[in-house]
Every structure is written in C-alpha cells, then in structure tokens.
Short mmCIF file of all heavy atoms in Angstrom, two decimals:
data_model
loop_
_atom_site.label_atom_id
_atom_site.label_comp_id
_atom_site.label_asym_id
_atom_site.label_seq_id
_atom_site.Cartn_x
_atom_site.Cartn_y
_atom_site.Cartn_z
N GLU A 1 3.67 11.60 2.24
CA GLU A 1 5.09 11.80 2.54
C GLU A 1 5.91 10.83 1.69
O GLU A 1 6.16 9.70 2.07
CB GLU A 1 5.36 11.56 4.03
CG GLU A 1 6.82 11.64 4.42
CD GLU A 1 7.49 12.89 3.90
OE1 GLU A 1 7.31 13.95 4.51
OE2 GLU A 1 8.17 12.81 2.86
N TYR A 2 6.24 11.29 0.48
CA TYR A 2 7.04 10.49 -0.44
C TYR A 2 8.39 11.15 -0.73
O TYR A 2 9.10 10.73 -1.65
CB TYR A 2 6.31 10.32 -1.78
CG TYR A 2 5.05 9.48 -1.72
CD1 TYR A 2 4.06 9.64 -2.70
CD2 TYR A 2 4.84 8.53 -0.73
CE1 TYR A 2 2.90 8.88 -2.67
CE2 TYR A 2 3.69 7.77 -0.70
CZ TYR A 2 2.71 7.94 -1.67
OH TYR A 2 1.57 7.19 -1.65
N THR A 3 8.73 12.17 0.02
CA THR A 3 9.90 12.99 -0.31
C THR A 3 11.17 12.16 -0.46
O THR A 3 11.85 12.22 -1.49
CB THR A 3 10.12 14.08 0.76
OG1 THR A 3 8.91 14.82 0.94
CG2 THR A 3 11.25 15.01 0.36
N LYS A 4 11.50 11.41 0.56
CA LYS A 4 12.77 10.68 0.55
C LYS A 4 12.81 9.64 -0.57
O LYS A 4 13.80 9.57 -1.32
CB LYS A 4 12.99 10.01 1.91
CG LYS A 4 14.34 9.34 2.04
CD LYS A 4 14.52 8.77 3.45
CE LYS A 4 15.84 8.05 3.59
NZ LYS A 4 16.01 7.49 4.96
N SER A 5 11.76 8.84 -0.70
CA SER A 5 11.76 7.79 -1.73
C SER A 5 11.78 8.38 -3.13
O SER A 5 12.46 7.87 -4.03
CB SER A 5 10.54 6.88 -1.55
OG SER A 5 9.34 7.61 -1.64
N ASN A 6 11.06 9.49 -3.34
CA ASN A 6 11.06 10.13 -4.65
C ASN A 6 12.45 10.64 -5.02
O ASN A 6 12.91 10.48 -6.15
CB ASN A 6 10.09 11.31 -4.67
CG ASN A 6 8.65 10.87 -4.87
OD1 ASN A 6 8.38 9.75 -5.31
ND2 ASN A 6 7.72 11.74 -4.56
N LEU A 7 13.12 11.25 -4.06
CA LEU A 7 14.42 11.84 -4.34
C LEU A 7 15.49 10.77 -4.54
O LEU A 7 16.39 10.93 -5.37
CB LEU A 7 14.82 12.81 -3.23
CG LEU A 7 13.97 14.08 -3.18
CD1 LEU A 7 14.33 14.92 -1.97
CD2 LEU A 7 14.11 14.90 -4.46
N LEU A 8 15.41 9.69 -3.79
CA LEU A 8 16.36 8.60 -3.99
C LEU A 8 16.20 8.00 -5.39
O LEU A 8 17.18 7.67 -6.06
CB LEU A 8 16.17 7.51 -2.92
CG LEU A 8 16.60 7.90 -1.50
CD1 LEU A 8 16.22 6.80 -0.52
CD2 LEU A 8 18.10 8.18 -1.44
N PHE A 9 14.95 7.87 -5.83
CA PHE A 9 14.71 7.38 -7.19
C PHE A 9 15.23 8.38 -8.22
O PHE A 9 15.82 8.00 -9.24
CB PHE A 9 13.21 7.15 -7.40
CG PHE A 9 12.84 6.81 -8.82
CD1 PHE A 9 13.09 5.54 -9.33
CD2 PHE A 9 12.25 7.75 -9.64
CE1 PHE A 9 12.76 5.22 -10.63
CE2 PHE A 9 11.91 7.44 -10.95
CZ PHE A 9 12.17 6.18 -11.45
N SER A 10 15.03 9.67 -7.95
CA SER A 10 15.48 10.70 -8.88
C SER A 10 16.99 10.66 -9.07
O SER A 10 17.49 10.85 -10.18
CB SER A 10 15.06 12.09 -8.37
OG SER A 10 13.66 12.20 -8.31
N VAL A 11 17.72 10.40 -7.98
CA VAL A 11 19.17 10.32 -8.07
C VAL A 11 19.60 9.12 -8.90
O VAL A 11 20.59 9.18 -9.63
CB VAL A 11 19.80 10.27 -6.66
CG1 VAL A 11 21.29 9.96 -6.74
CG2 VAL A 11 19.59 11.59 -5.95
N GLU A 12 18.84 8.02 -8.81
CA GLU A 12 19.14 6.85 -9.65
C GLU A 12 18.95 7.19 -11.13
O GLU A 12 19.71 6.74 -11.99
CB GLU A 12 18.23 5.69 -9.27
CG GLU A 12 18.56 5.06 -7.91
CD GLU A 12 17.69 3.86 -7.63
OE1 GLU A 12 16.94 3.44 -8.54
OE2 GLU A 12 17.74 3.33 -6.50
N VAL A 13 17.92 7.98 -11.42
CA VAL A 13 17.65 8.36 -12.81
C VAL A 13 18.68 9.38 -13.30
O VAL A 13 19.13 9.33 -14.45
CB VAL A 13 16.23 8.95 -12.93
CG1 VAL A 13 15.99 9.47 -14.35
CG2 VAL A 13 15.19 7.89 -12.58
N GLU A 14 19.06 10.32 -12.42
CA GLU A 14 20.00 11.38 -12.78
C GLU A 14 21.17 11.39 -11.79
O GLU A 14 21.27 12.27 -10.93
CB GLU A 14 19.32 12.73 -12.81
CG GLU A 14 18.19 12.86 -13.81
CD GLU A 14 17.65 14.27 -13.88
OE1 GLU A 14 18.47 15.22 -13.97
OE2 GLU A 14 16.43 14.43 -13.81
N PRO A 15 22.06 10.41 -11.88
CA PRO A 15 23.13 10.27 -10.88
C PRO A 15 24.15 11.42 -10.90
O PRO A 15 24.91 11.57 -9.94
CB PRO A 15 23.81 8.94 -11.27
CG PRO A 15 23.48 8.76 -12.72
CD PRO A 15 22.10 9.34 -12.89
N LYS A 16 24.14 12.23 -11.94
CA LYS A 16 25.09 13.36 -12.02
C LYS A 16 24.43 14.70 -11.73
O LYS A 16 25.06 15.75 -11.90
CB LYS A 16 25.72 13.39 -13.42
CG LYS A 16 26.58 12.17 -13.73
CD LYS A 16 27.21 12.28 -15.10
CE LYS A 16 28.07 11.05 -15.39
NZ LYS A 16 28.73 11.13 -16.73
N ASN A 17 23.20 14.67 -11.27
CA ASN A 17 22.48 15.90 -10.94
C ASN A 17 22.89 16.33 -9.53
O ASN A 17 22.39 15.81 -8.53
CB ASN A 17 20.97 15.67 -11.02
CG ASN A 17 20.17 16.96 -10.88
OD1 ASN A 17 20.54 17.84 -10.11
ND2 ASN A 17 19.09 17.05 -11.63
N ASN A 18 23.80 17.27 -9.44
CA ASN A 18 24.34 17.70 -8.14
C ASN A 18 23.28 18.34 -7.26
O ASN A 18 23.35 18.25 -6.03
CB ASN A 18 25.51 18.66 -8.35
CG ASN A 18 26.73 17.96 -8.93
OD1 ASN A 18 26.97 16.79 -8.65
ND2 ASN A 18 27.49 18.67 -9.76
N ASP A 19 22.32 19.02 -7.87
CA ASP A 19 21.24 19.63 -7.08
C ASP A 19 20.46 18.56 -6.33
O ASP A 19 20.15 18.71 -5.15
CB ASP A 19 20.30 20.43 -7.98
CG ASP A 19 20.94 21.69 -8.52
OD1 ASP A 19 21.85 22.22 -7.84
OD2 ASP A 19 20.55 22.15 -9.60
N LEU A 20 20.13 17.46 -7.04
CA LEU A 20 19.39 16.38 -6.40
C LEU A 20 20.21 15.70 -5.32
O LEU A 20 19.70 15.38 -4.24
CB LEU A 20 18.96 15.35 -7.45
CG LEU A 20 17.79 15.72 -8.36
CD1 LEU A 20 17.60 14.65 -9.43
CD2 LEU A 20 16.52 15.88 -7.54
N ILE A 21 21.48 15.47 -5.58
CA ILE A 21 22.36 14.82 -4.61
C ILE A 21 22.45 15.65 -3.33
O ILE A 21 22.35 15.12 -2.22
CB ILE A 21 23.76 14.60 -5.21
CG1 ILE A 21 23.68 13.56 -6.35
CG2 ILE A 21 24.74 14.13 -4.14
CD1 ILE A 21 24.95 13.44 -7.16
N THR A 22 22.62 16.95 -3.48
CA THR A 22 22.69 17.85 -2.32
C THR A 22 21.37 17.85 -1.56
O THR A 22 21.35 17.84 -0.33
CB THR A 22 23.03 19.28 -2.78
OG1 THR A 22 24.29 19.26 -3.44
CG2 THR A 22 23.09 20.23 -1.58
N TYR A 23 20.28 17.85 -2.31
CA TYR A 23 18.95 17.87 -1.71
C TYR A 23 18.71 16.61 -0.88
O TYR A 23 18.17 16.67 0.24
CB TYR A 23 17.91 17.99 -2.82
CG TYR A 23 16.56 18.47 -2.37
CD1 TYR A 23 16.41 19.29 -1.27
CD2 TYR A 23 15.42 18.08 -3.06
CE1 TYR A 23 15.18 19.73 -0.86
CE2 TYR A 23 14.17 18.51 -2.66
CZ TYR A 23 14.06 19.33 -1.56
OH TYR A 23 12.82 19.75 -1.16
N VAL A 24 19.11 15.46 -1.40
CA VAL A 24 18.94 14.20 -0.67
C VAL A 24 19.75 14.23 0.63
O VAL A 24 19.28 13.79 1.68
CB VAL A 24 19.37 13.00 -1.54
CG1 VAL A 24 19.46 11.73 -0.70
CG2 VAL A 24 18.38 12.79 -2.68
N LYS A 25 20.96 14.76 0.57
CA LYS A 25 21.79 14.85 1.77
C LYS A 25 21.12 15.73 2.83
O LYS A 25 21.15 15.41 4.02
CB LYS A 25 23.17 15.42 1.41
CG LYS A 25 24.05 14.46 0.63
CD LYS A 25 25.39 15.10 0.30
CE LYS A 25 26.28 14.14 -0.49
NZ LYS A 25 27.57 14.77 -0.86
N ASN A 26 20.53 16.83 2.39
CA ASN A 26 19.85 17.72 3.34
C ASN A 26 18.64 17.04 3.96
O ASN A 26 18.37 17.20 5.16
CB ASN A 26 19.41 19.00 2.62
CG ASN A 26 20.58 19.89 2.25
OD1 ASN A 26 21.64 19.82 2.87
ND2 ASN A 26 20.41 20.73 1.24
#
C-alpha cells in the first residue's frame, strides 16, 4: 500500500499535472 505516498511524490515532481492533483484529492 504505497498509493498515497507515491501520488504525493508524483505531485511534487509534476506540480502542474491536474490529473494527479485531482487523483490525490480523491
């Protein structure tokens, strides 16, 4: 279960990726 930590890191790498931002919120 690495979902949350992986996605938070992904947003740091791609802070303008709206798909990732929305996914993290969900």
Side-chain angles (χ1 to χ4, degrees):
E1 175 50 79
Y2 293 157
T3 307
K4 185 176 178 180
S5 58
N6 280 343
L7 291 174
L8 289 174
F9 173 75
S10 298
V11 171
E12 289 184 8
V13 175
E14 299 186 47
K16 296 182 180 181
N17 188 323
N18 291 327
D19 289 333
L20 284 174
I21 293 170
T22 300
Y23 199 29
V24 169
K25 289 180 180 178
N26 290 336

